[in-house]
Amino acid sequence: MYRFLLTPRWWGINLFVVLAIPFCVFMGTWQLGRFEDRVQTHEEAEKRPDPGTRSPEPLDGLLPVSTETSGRPAVATGTYADQFLVPGRKLDDRDGFYVLDLLRTESGKALPVVRGWLAGTPGSTEVPPAPAGEVTVTGDLQASENSGTTGVDLSGGLPEGQLGMISAASLVNLVPYDVYDAWVTLPASETGGADDGIQPVPAAAAQGSGLDLKAFQNLGYTGEWFVFGGFVLFMWFRLVRREAEAARDVQLGLAADAD
């Protein structure tokens, strides 16, 4: 009754099932591993001291930015050069923009420094000038933004002097010098205070260091892959049963042989 399993058509079906089920198990296990890695990273981050409470260190010693160095106070010395305004940024649910100045260090490389946040829109709000001469700044280190960062503007076409995303890649064609693949945000003690309206921008947690929506998406994908593997096995058994019943009906003379 089950000789049909050896026919060319069923060889193809059987091969698909034999390959599909291990693939689904592998993908489900991989997604589960990604979720467990995020849980472990979150637990390790919870055990570490708050990055902002640690002693400041020279910028170069904290690069490249990682989940461990993100948020750590970094010290850099240089002179302020070009200034850019980063529109569309919120602070406490208020609309405004970041004031970003490039600090040219002794190496010639520039560090993007977010001096603070201002309410309003660029062009209609007075921006306090950056300090002149050589300065030493201490700010919380942040990784370059990307397309998944909240608030970035990827539409392009911004007016001159404005920037949609804080990253070395977005600045490379705007300034004639190298830029660090990182940036810092200044604390309240260095922003200038409320006298000029500029407010400090809190450091954000490093991407991938917490149990965010993406982490639970990995868990959801785990379930989807295992369900799909179970569905493939269920459909195979159902097809086998239907084919066997049809073969039995032919043997009993209840149905004509399709061949």
Side-chain angles (χ1 to χ4, degrees), residues 172-209:
V172 66
N173 295 322
L174 300 179
V175 293
Y177 40 82
D178 292 334
V179 179
Y180 281 102
D181 190 20
W183 57 284
V184 298
T185 175
L186 299 185
S189 59
E190 297 201 24
T191 58
D195 295 340
D196 50 19
I198 197 166
Q199 299 182 41
V201 176
Q207 289 187 348
S209 62

Side-chain angles (χ1 to χ4, degrees), residues 76-79 103-110 134 180:
T77 300
T79 56
L103 183 73
R104 292 289 303 274
T105 62
E106 295 179 353
S107 66
K109 211 169 184 179
E134 185 176 84
Y180 281 102

Side-chain angles (χ1 to χ4, degrees), residues 12 19 27 77 106 129-130 133-134 139 150 154 213 226 236 257 259:
L19 294 177
M27 291 300 297
T77 300
E106 295 179 353
E134 185 176 84
T150 303
L154 302 176
L213 178 60
F226 287 143
W236 182 83
D257 191 344
D259 296 336

